[in-house]
């Protein structure tokens, strides 16, 4: 009779352990993906210069990338849809970092995360057993302790385990052994699943984490489309940017002409030129804020300094810019001769300093 009761108890404990480990499998899988995404983003921020600052620093790296590639279509994407361009740029760098066929780092990230959680669960099994034995508790107490220890790390709701909390489990030490044994095949199966080099199953991907961390304000200057450099989305105060661009970069032209505007916003607001609004109202650039929003949302300080980068861009892609916008660098928009002496090496050197 004692042997029969012992066998029934062992069977009950084994069933309990198998059920709980089935629940753990899904929780572990998601936890590993979540931790891996965070770890990848964290490592990239600490090891890759493009990602270890704010978005302005990242933008410098993007400008270098664009200049080195010399692809006007890429520039178009960056100028017209900067937020999406940034996100794509980050995603490509994450893929390059993790999914290289010769050295797929994703495998090691997943393995390290799984090993970490395996150790964590084994510790929770051991500690829950000790507490339950010390308090002469039952399986319900064991489950309380087990879930509490994993609460900050895994999604394993205690309420999902109510169906097994009334199991007749008296040998808590045997439960510990059964849980450790049942956990092993779960971990091995997950290891096999993680050999596939794919971030598709991640609910939150590393590039999304980096894009969020390196986000900020995405408002564009109403004159030249340069991005506000404030690091906080929806920030207080006016939008601003250290360097504006020639208005021609986004197709700005002089009223009733087909002449593109080569001046930058910060020099225009120091001039006596007029800006023509869509309703044909004329406002002095010096009082651009009188045009209302979005002009009044920006602080554009009169300044004659400008980056060499956009001078090189205008000269290098002159024909493409003219074709895209259907206007010319002629008349008031004639490119200054000295701009043509700005080399790519010069602008890259400025950005890398």
């Amino acid at each position: 009779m004692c042997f029969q009761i012992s066998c029934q108890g062992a069977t009950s404990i084994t069933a309990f352990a198998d059920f709980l480990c089935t629940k753990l499998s899904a929780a572990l899988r998601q936890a590993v993906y979540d931790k891996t995404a965070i770890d990848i983003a964290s490592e990239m921020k600490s090891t890759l210069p493009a990602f270890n600052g704010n978005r302005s620093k990242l933008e410098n790296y993007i400008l270098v990338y664009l200049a080195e590639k010399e692809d006007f279509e890429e520039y178009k994407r960056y100028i017209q849809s900067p937020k999406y361009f940034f996100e794509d740029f980050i995603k490509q760098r994450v893929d390059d970092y993790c999914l290289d066929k010769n050295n797929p780092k994703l495998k090691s990230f997943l393995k390290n995360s799984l090993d970490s959680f395996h150790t964590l669960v084994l510790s929770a099994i051991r500690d829950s057993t000790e507490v339950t034995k010390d308090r002469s508790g039952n399986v319900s107490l064991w489950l309380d302790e087990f879930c509490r220890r994993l609460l900050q790390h895994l999604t394993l709701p205690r309420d999902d385990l109510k169906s097994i909390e009334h199991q007749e489990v008296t040998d808590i030490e045997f439960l510990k052994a059964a849980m450790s044994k049942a956990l092993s095949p779960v971990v091995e199966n997950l290891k096999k699943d993680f050999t596939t080099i794919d971030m598709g199953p991640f609910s939150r991907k590393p590039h999304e984490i980096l894009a969020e961390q390196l986000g900020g304000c995405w408002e564009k200057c109403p004159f030249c489309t340069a991005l506000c450099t404030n690091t906080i989305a929806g920030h207080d105060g006016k939008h601003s940017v250290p360097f504006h661009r020639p208005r021609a970069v986004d197709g700005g032209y002089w009223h009733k002409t087909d002449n593109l505007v080569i001046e930058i916003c910060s020099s225009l607001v120091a001039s006596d030129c007029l800006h023509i609004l869509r309703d044909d109202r004329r406002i002095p650039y010096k009082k651009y804020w009188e045009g209302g929003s979005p002009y009044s949302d920006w602080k554009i300080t009169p300044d004659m300094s400008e980056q060499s980068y956009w001078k090189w861009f205008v000269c290098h892609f002159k024909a493409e810019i003219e074709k895209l916008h259907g206007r010319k660098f002629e008349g008031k928009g004639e490119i200054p001769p000295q701009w043509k002496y700005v080399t790519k090496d010069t602008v890259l050197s400025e950005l890398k300093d």
Side-chain angles (χ1 to χ4, degrees):
M1 178 65 71
C2 289
F3 175 74
Q4 184 179 2
I5 292 172
S6 176
C7 287
Q8 288 174 345
T11 302
S12 178
I13 290 173
T14 301
F16 175 97
D18 288 343
F19 177 87
L20 183 51
C21 282
T22 298
K23 292 285 187 181
L24 268 173
S25 178
L28 278 170
R29 183 188 303 276
Q30 191 56 58
V32 167
Y33 285 141
D34 291 346
K35 183 179 186 304
T36 297
I38 293 170
D39 288 348
I40 290 171
S42 178
E43 183 170 299
M44 289 184 69
K45 282 202 77 173
S46 64
T47 59
L48 300 184
F51 298 114
N52 66 12
N54 57 22
R55 197 190 65 207
S56 293
K57 183 176 181 180
L58 174 58
E59 186 165 19
N60 264 16
Y61 278 85
I62 286 177
L63 292 175
V64 168
Y65 159 80
L66 287 168
E68 289 176 339
K69 197 168 183 181
E70 293 189 30
D71 184 335
F72 187 69
E73 290 302 313
E74 286 284 89
Y75 270 107
K76 270 176 58 181
R77 287 204 309 124
Y78 162 70
I79 293 165
Q80 295 173 356
S81 305
K83 186 172 187 289
Y84 295 111
F85 188 93
F86 270 76
E87 290 170 353
D88 286 347
F89 181 86
I90 293 170
K91 182 180 184 302
Q92 186 57 56
R93 295 305 165 284
V94 170
D95 289 350
D96 291 345
Y97 192 76
C98 297
L99 306 182
D100 187 302
K101 291 181 180 178
N102 298 320
N103 181 28
K105 289 187 178 182
L106 181 59
K107 275 188 179 180
S108 61
F109 275 110
L110 289 167
K111 180 184 181 302
N112 291 340
S113 294
L114 181 57
D115 288 346
S116 172
F117 282 115
H118 187 192
T119 300
L120 179 72
V121 174
L122 287 174
S123 295
I125 292 170
R126 182 188 65 246
D127 295 345
S128 301
T129 301
E130 293 304 314
V131 170
T132 304
K133 287 168 64 178
D134 289 345
R135 297 182 187 175
S136 300
N138 57 15
V139 72
S140 181
L141 174 61
W142 189 94
L143 284 170
D144 289 343
E145 291 295 321
F146 183 70
C147 290
R148 183 175 66 81
R149 281 168 167 74
L150 298 179
L151 182 62
Q152 301 300 319
H153 310 280
L154 298 174
T155 303
L156 187 68
R158 176 66 176 85
D159 288 347
D160 289 357
L161 307 176
K162 286 187 177 295
S163 63
I164 58 170
E165 68 179 6
H166 300 298
Q167 292 268 8
E168 288 297 325
V169 177
T170 55
D171 190 343
I172 298 298
E173 193 64 34
F174 184 68
L175 172 60
K176 180 177 81 170
M179 279 297 299
S180 299
K181 182 179 179 181
L183 183 62
S184 291
V186 168
V187 171
E188 289 305 312
N189 286 334
L190 287 172
K191 283 182 180 178
K192 291 176 184 176
D193 291 346
F194 294 154
T195 57
T196 302
I197 308 303
D198 178 24
M199 283 192 280
F202 286 45
S203 61
R204 193 168 180 233
K205 297 174 175 56
H207 72 269
E208 293 170 342
I209 295 173
L210 283 168
E212 183 178 311
Q213 292 174 347
L214 294 166
C217 181
W218 292 101
E219 291 299 316
K220 297 190 286 187
C221 172
F223 294 117
C224 72
T225 73
L227 284 175
C228 173
T229 52
N230 197 295
T231 56
I232 302 172
H235 60 88
D236 294 331
K238 305 284 187 181
H239 303 299
S240 64
V241 61
F243 294 103
H244 287 266
R245 309 165 180 169
R247 289 204 58 200
V249 168
D250 195 47
Y253 63 95
W254 291 107
H255 186 56
K256 291 186 177 180
T257 76
D258 66 351
N259 301 162
L260 290 162
V261 179
I262 59 166
E263 285 80 6
I264 61 172
C265 315
S266 45
S267 63
L268 284 168
V269 298
S271 73
D272 293 322
C273 296
L274 296 175
H275 178 58
I276 315 300
L277 301 175
R278 289 184 178 179
D279 60 4
D280 285 336
R281 277 190 300 138
R282 297 169 179 245
I283 57 170
Y285 270 103
K286 285 181 177 178
K287 297 182 178 181
Y288 65 89
W289 56 87
E290 292 182 353
S293 184
Y295 305 101
S296 57
D297 301 330
W298 279 77
K299 179 182 179 181
I300 305 174
T301 305
D303 184 1
M304 302 307 290
S305 63
E306 53 191 348
Q307 283 181 306
S308 297
Y309 189 93
W310 295 106
K311 296 177 182 179
W312 170 81
F313 170 79
V314 165
C315 292
H316 189 75
F317 292 106
K318 175 179 177 291
E320 290 87 346
I321 296 169
E322 289 180 332
K323 181 179 179 182
L324 175 64
H325 299 295
R327 303 188 187 276
K328 298 288 185 181
F329 287 105
E330 295 176 351
K332 290 186 71 174
E334 186 174 353
I335 297 172
Q338 60 270 29
W339 285 23
K340 297 171 185 177
Y341 296 103
V342 178
T343 66
K344 185 167 80 171
D345 287 342
T346 299
V347 301
L348 290 178
S349 178
E350 283 185 5
L351 289 172
K352 292 176 180 179
D353 282 345

